[in-house]
Amino acid sequence: MDAFIRSVMGNKFFILFVATALGLMIGRVKIKGISLETSGALFVGLVFGALGYKIDNVLFTFSLVLFVSAVGLLAAKDIGKVIKLYGLKFVMLGIIITFSGAFATYILTLLHQGSLDPYLVSGTYTGALTSSPGLAAALEATKNNPNITIGHAVAYPFGVLLVILFVHLAPIIFRIDVKKELEKYRMEMKQGETTEKAKGAPANEKFNLLSYTIVLALGIIIGNIPIKIPGIATPIKLETTGGVLISALLLGYLGKIGPLSTRMSKEVLATFRELGLAFFLAIVGIESGAGVVEVVKQSGVSLMIIGFLAGVFAELVGFLIGRYVWKINWILLVGAICGGMTSTPGLGAAIDATGTDEVATGYGATYPMALLFMVIWTILLHTILG
């Protein structure tokens, strides 16, 4: 019997599946309407890692590819429509919010006079903006350094909490009448309607495995192209994460690879996204759990402060520019801020705070560009600090 238990507990797939299942169960628990959702797998994984369990890097890479490709293909079809309706405002917000967080992280790190591990700082940035793709990019760029995940895990709760508080408190602080904003938004949508309905909605595509694997292969090629950044000696690469994301967005938007369709079933892609994310978070937790306690003892307070201030700065910059420079309706802007922070829990809170799921329009418009630039700024931040 002992040999049987050791055999089961020594099986890495078993550990992965159990950690993921427990994380998803914990993620469903709601406290005052707030839950960890899929991110529960990260924290259960940290516990398993602290107990000494390990997972293969091949599983790590496969899970992040599954997640990022699904996100890109799901978001791709809306890019053209959003640009036609709103110009480049939401695209720019995705860039501005993620850059603001990276800039604040960099400045705050300099104030610590080099006392913090750059790997921890890169992870703190991705945690403050609650970005799993950013975490994936940082891990890949650093050969899966565990301090990346530790920094992410320390800052992540603050990132989630900040977005949730912001969407509820901003209308009070800045005296925004949410009901009037919703009425204005719906009027704007009626005035901006096109002939999309007349053309008829496209049929729901089936999942095409051949197209999907071509998207992944092209992403690997894109991810390995060296990109020269002025002022930085070493060229950077988007690696698998950024490459696959660009490939999925590009081919998903075009809709075809020759005779093959790249518009695929939402249901299948949503399943891939959740499966890949759950496995990815569990794996990085398992790989990093052993070092969490020690790092929190040594640098936990500093990392928490950096994560908190970087998150606040990113949200405020996005809000002030979106609201007072570009005059974006609050219903769209609150979704865009959540998208810029790549925060799914924040989107749920925004829907609850405004009383409408129409905030998802701003979220979907900003999210793809925010994901892409989270990857770019994460790699750049690590390169500069390293």
Side-chain angles (χ1 to χ4, degrees):
M1 190 64 181
D2 288 344
F4 172 76
I5 294 174
R6 285 196 299 271
S7 176
V8 171
M9 296 303 293
N11 188 302
K12 294 180 179 180
F13 284 99
F14 176 76
I15 297 301
L16 173 59
F17 296 152
V18 170
T20 303
L22 289 174
L24 292 175
M25 285 190 283
I26 290 174
R28 290 183 176 183
V29 176
K30 289 188 176 182
I31 301 175
K32 294 186 177 181
I34 300 171
S35 63
L36 288 173
E37 299 183 348
T38 312
S39 297
L42 171 63
F43 295 96
V44 172
L46 288 169
V47 174
F48 274 66
L51 294 174
Y53 293 103
K54 295 290 182 182
I55 295 291
D56 291 334
N57 283 338
V58 173
L59 293 175
F60 158 77
T61 304
F62 179 73
S63 64
L64 74 88
V65 165
L66 201 63
F67 168 57
V68 172
S69 60
V71 166
L73 288 170
L74 282 167
K77 67 182 185 304
D78 293 327
I79 291 177
K81 186 191 301 183
V82 167
I83 291 175
K84 286 178 182 178
L85 289 174
Y86 309 112
L88 296 175
K89 291 178 182 178
F90 289 102
V91 172
M92 292 303 299
L93 272 178
I95 300 172
I96 289 168
I97 292 172
T98 51
F99 172 77
S100 298
F103 178 75
T105 302
Y106 175 68
I107 296 300
L108 290 166
T109 303
L110 292 182
L111 295 177
H112 282 80
Q113 299 179 344
S115 61
L116 290 175
D117 186 323
Y119 297 112
L120 288 172
V121 173
S122 294
T124 300
Y125 167 58
T126 66
L129 271 70
T130 66
S131 176
S132 297
L135 172 60
L139 284 168
E140 188 174 20
T142 59
K143 310 301 180 186
N144 204 11
N145 188 290
N147 280 354
I148 295 288
T149 304
I150 294 170
H152 181 92
V154 170
Y156 183 89
F158 290 94
V160 172
L161 184 61
L162 279 171
V163 179
I164 292 172
L165 288 175
F166 185 83
V167 301
H168 283 283
L169 295 178
I172 299 172
I173 296 171
F174 296 98
R175 298 181 180 181
I176 298 171
D177 189 324
V178 177
K179 289 184 179 180
K180 285 186 178 180
E181 291 292 304
L182 182 56
E183 290 174 4
K184 289 179 183 178
Y185 168 74
R186 288 174 176 168
M187 288 297 295
E188 289 170 2
M189 290 301 100
K190 286 181 180 179
Q191 293 171 2
E193 281 180 352
T194 62
T195 57
E196 290 293 323
K197 290 183 180 179
K199 294 178 183 177
N204 188 28
E205 299 285 351
K206 295 181 179 180
F207 180 76
N208 189 317
L209 184 58
L210 176 57
S211 298
Y212 182 70
T213 52
I214 292 174
V215 169
L216 300 186
L218 179 62
I220 302 297
I221 295 172
I222 294 173
N224 279 280
I225 297 173
I227 303 171
K228 178 64 178 175
I229 304 294
I232 298 177
T234 306
I236 68 169
K237 295 179 181 179
L238 294 178
E239 305 292 351
T240 302
T241 307
V244 169
L245 180 59
I246 289 178
S247 175
L249 287 169
L250 176 62
L251 294 180
Y253 172 67
L254 294 175
K256 286 186 176 182
I257 308 172
L260 299 174
S261 173
T262 52
R263 297 285 174 85
M264 304 186 196
S265 165
K266 290 182 179 179
E267 290 77 13
V268 173
L269 290 176
T271 300
F272 277 15
R273 179 189 62 199
E274 292 305 306
L275 181 66
L277 178 59
F279 283 165
F280 164 69
L281 291 174
I283 290 169
V284 296
I286 292 170
E287 287 296 292
S288 309
V292 168
V293 176
E294 189 61 33
V295 170
V296 169
K297 286 180 181 178
Q298 294 178 0
S299 308
V301 174
S302 296
L303 294 176
M304 289 176 188
I305 292 173
I306 289 174
F308 177 82
L309 293 178
V312 169
F313 186 70
E315 288 175 355
L316 280 177
V317 169
F319 172 78
L320 294 174
I321 291 176
R323 184 69 179 175
Y324 298 111
V325 177
W326 289 332
K327 311 296 183 182
I328 297 175
N329 185 290
W330 172 246
I331 301 301
L332 285 172
L333 182 57
V334 67
I337 290 171
C338 294
M341 296 289 286
T342 64
S343 176
T344 303
L347 176 61
I351 291 172
D352 180 59
T354 59
T356 175
D357 59 7
E358 289 165 293
V359 297
T361 303
Y363 181 89
T366 311
Y367 188 77
M369 193 58 63
L371 281 179
L372 176 59
F373 274 85
M374 269 297 307
V375 173
I376 293 173
W377 301 139
T378 300
I379 296 172
L380 197 58
L381 185 65
H382 169 74
T383 303
I384 295 171
L385 292 175

